[in-house]
Amino acid sequence: MIETDQLLAFERIVREGSFSKAAFALGISQPTISARIQALEKSLGGTVFTRGRTVHLTERGTSFLPYAKRALAVLNDGLNAAKLAASGEQGALRVAALRSLTVHLLARSSGVFMERFPEVQCTLFEGDHWMVIEQLHDGVVELGLICYPPLDYGVAEVRPLLRMVEPIILAVHPDHPLSQKKLWSREAFLEACPLLLQQRWWQVTPMAVNTLNTQARKMADVPMEVGRHLVHTGLAAGFFPKMLVQPELDAGALVQLEIQGLPPMLRETALVQLARRQHTSPIAQHFTGILAQVARKLDIAIYREKT
């Protein structure tokens, strides 16, 4: 069997044109390099060099040289790939997230990650809570962005790497009657709101929001994008994660409202991996750090977990 040391000796002799110079360059003795070439020639079934005052390749050696160089190049590429993978600079990032966390948090974080680690292959998914948990269990993804803690059997199945707390706000379009003032009494709000949206930003809707929904003149339970459309057209008022609508708030396309006596609404989410995973990959660690930086810029409170 041909060994790497034999290929290195062969390639170096060709480059130096001398057994002695090649041995010196490799830091080995001349008898050692001669023994390696003899072992190589035995594997190839004949000589690769003509011996004399100068060293030349035989036909067999000339034919073998490009394959030896290719084998050494592939081995070197493999070593480099292994080093890059160990440092998190090469490999794969696989993340699944709730739809409400993809628009700004995952999109911005993955954009920064792709720019900083261009050699890493990124695969991103979005879906509901059960889809994210299922993809974690099936090994389709290493990381998941979910509401936390999961109020089902999944609480023991996942481990948070990063916990986040974000405000949920009540918003309307500037053309909506409620936009005329920002602070409302509960009674006045319910009277002036023709349609209040129920959107599932939480695993369990807070009691205060549930009570408000039951007292509303009309309530509609709608998906995220439908809710955003209804609010943007001025037909309804709805609760949204603040980071999701911050650009519209800044641009004056939406108005934030407050209702007297309604406690602050918060949503806790987390970047998780399966609890049975003993280690967090370097790539996942890099992504966790970037996600934390992006979340802070979006005014999301961050709590790092020990890995």
Side-chain angles (χ1 to χ4, degrees), residues 38-51:
Q38 289 172 4
L40 175 64
E41 290 176 330
K42 183 176 180 181
S43 296
L44 296 177
T47 60
V48 292
F49 294 113
T50 59
R51 273 69 165 178

Side-chain angles (χ1 to χ4, degrees), residues 118-140:
E119 298 302 315
V120 175
Q121 177 67 43
C122 296
T123 304
L124 310 175
F125 301 91
E126 69 169 10
D128 60 22
H129 172 79
W130 290 107
M131 189 218 77
V132 176
I133 295 297
E134 183 177 330
Q135 290 191 320
L136 283 167
H137 276 286
D138 292 345
V140 176

Side-chain angles (χ1 to χ4, degrees), residues 6 16 62 83 113 141 201 247:
Q6 298 168 13
E16 301 291 344
T62 300
K83 292 176 182 177
F113 183 90
V141 298
W201 309 119

Side-chain angles (χ1 to χ4, degrees), residues 92-126:
L93 172 69
R94 295 168 290 115
V95 185
L98 297 178
R99 291 187 178 92
S100 61
L101 292 170
T102 60
V103 178
H104 293 295
L105 189 57
L106 181 60
R108 294 187 188 187
S109 301
S110 60
V112 174
F113 183 90
M114 291 176 191
E115 184 176 7
R116 195 172 299 176
F117 299 98
E119 298 302 315
V120 175
Q121 177 67 43
C122 296
T123 304
L124 310 175
F125 301 91
E126 69 169 10

